[in-house]
Amino acid sequence: MLQSVYSVYDRVRRPLRNHHYLVLPGARLAYARVPGLPQMIARPVLAALGGGSEDSGWFDEVELLTGRELHRRYPDIVVFAFVQRPAERIAAAYDLLIGSQKPLPTFYVRHGFTPGMGLSQFVHRICRIGDLRADNLFRSQADILAQTKTRTALILRTDQLARDWPRLESLVAEKAGSAAVLPPLPDFPAPPPAAADLAQGLLADRLARRYAQDLRQYFGEGEVQDLA
């Protein structure tokens, strides 16, 4: 009951939080947004498919839907998405929020984040916030992508794009037609230096527990032992 009440409140306070799905022109493909590097990689793909490529995250001539809306309106649509290893994703979030030295967004101030906080403090703070309340920047990717009942999806790992890019090209050729041609495999930034610190030791263990579902579902790392 409490979770249902919070969900209603959250929809009022953050109305676009669960609007992850961009239905591309022609309504045979949808893209599931994951903030950060996955979204950066997706921009040229969306531009090639007529979905725009605005850095702001807003796109022209597309519908922006929740998972439930997508399933109800387009039950047979195929979804594609990009996912990133949790350590790299959280390191990038740390660089963006703390390393940039810009004022923190209100959400982060309210949840105990502070300017200049250390990486360890940042990780422990994130790991104390569950997906129900999390900002999409560090909400688990499995939770973001679980918001639809659509079973047909292509999930591409950012660390294996060279392997997976032909699969996306084949999907686009099938669903969008020969007129839609993807750009070459894009270059993208190397993982932030902090990612190495989050790939081993106690911080890695903490992230493995927080993002166990991501690791199992997208990175094939099996059950993660609870080390608490």
Side-chain angles (χ1 to χ4, degrees):
M1 177 64 180
L2 182 60
Q3 180 171 338
S4 298
V5 171
Y6 182 86
S7 295
V8 172
Y9 169 71
D10 193 53
R11 284 198 296 272
V12 173
R13 189 164 54 95
R14 296 186 288 178
L16 294 180
R17 179 174 181 266
N18 288 322
H19 286 69
H20 303 299
Y21 297 90
L22 279 71
V23 179
L24 298 167
R28 302 189 68 194
L29 275 176
Y31 164 66
R33 301 189 301 170
V34 174
L37 178 62
Q39 182 68 17
M40 184 187 306
I41 292 172
R43 284 173 186 151
V45 176
L46 297 174
L49 298 179
S53 59
E54 294 296 325
D55 288 347
S56 65
W58 294 98
F59 299 85
D60 297 328
E61 300 181 4
V62 298
E63 295 178 85
L64 184 61
L65 305 177
T66 67
R68 290 185 178 182
E69 291 169 340
L70 181 72
H71 178 67
R72 184 173 66 251
R73 299 184 195 180
Y74 304 99
D76 298 321
I77 203 166
V78 176
V79 176
F80 70 94
F82 299 94
V83 293
Q84 185 179 17
R85 282 193 171 276
E88 295 180 6
R89 188 167 174 246
I90 299 308
Y94 178 78
D95 279 3
L96 176 66
L97 293 167
I98 308 301
S100 68
Q101 299 183 346
K102 295 179 180 179
L104 287 171
T106 301
F107 171 91
Y108 292 89
V109 174
R110 288 177 175 172
H111 285 81
F113 295 83
T114 58
M117 69 191 307
L119 180 62
S120 177
Q121 293 175 299
F122 184 81
V123 168
H124 284 286
R125 178 60 59 182
I126 275 179
C127 290
R128 293 178 62 186
I129 302 173
D131 284 331
L132 182 64
R133 295 185 296 123
D135 182 60
N136 284 336
L137 191 62
F138 65 89
R139 183 181 181 183
S140 75
Q141 295 162 108
D143 191 68
I144 289 174
L145 299 179
Q147 302 304 309
T148 178
K149 297 179 182 178
T150 301
R151 295 185 178 181
T152 306
L154 175 62
I155 309 298
L156 301 101
R157 291 169 46 167
T158 62
D159 62 339
Q160 294 187 349
L161 284 181
R163 183 201 70 177
D164 291 343
W165 203 252
R167 300 170 62 198
L168 181 59
E169 290 177 323
S170 297
L171 176 65
V172 167
E174 176 188 353
K175 296 297 180 181
S178 58
V181 178
L182 290 191
L185 178 66
D187 294 326
F188 55 92
D197 297 325
L198 299 183
Q200 57 187 347
L202 294 178
L203 292 181
D205 293 340
R206 191 71 187 268
L207 284 179
R209 295 195 299 273
R210 172 64 175 85
Y211 295 104
Q213 191 174 358
D214 280 3
L215 292 171
R216 286 195 300 267
Q217 194 161 330
Y218 305 125
F219 300 96
E221 301 195 7
E223 290 291 331
V224 177
Q225 183 179 1
D226 188 352
L227 302 175

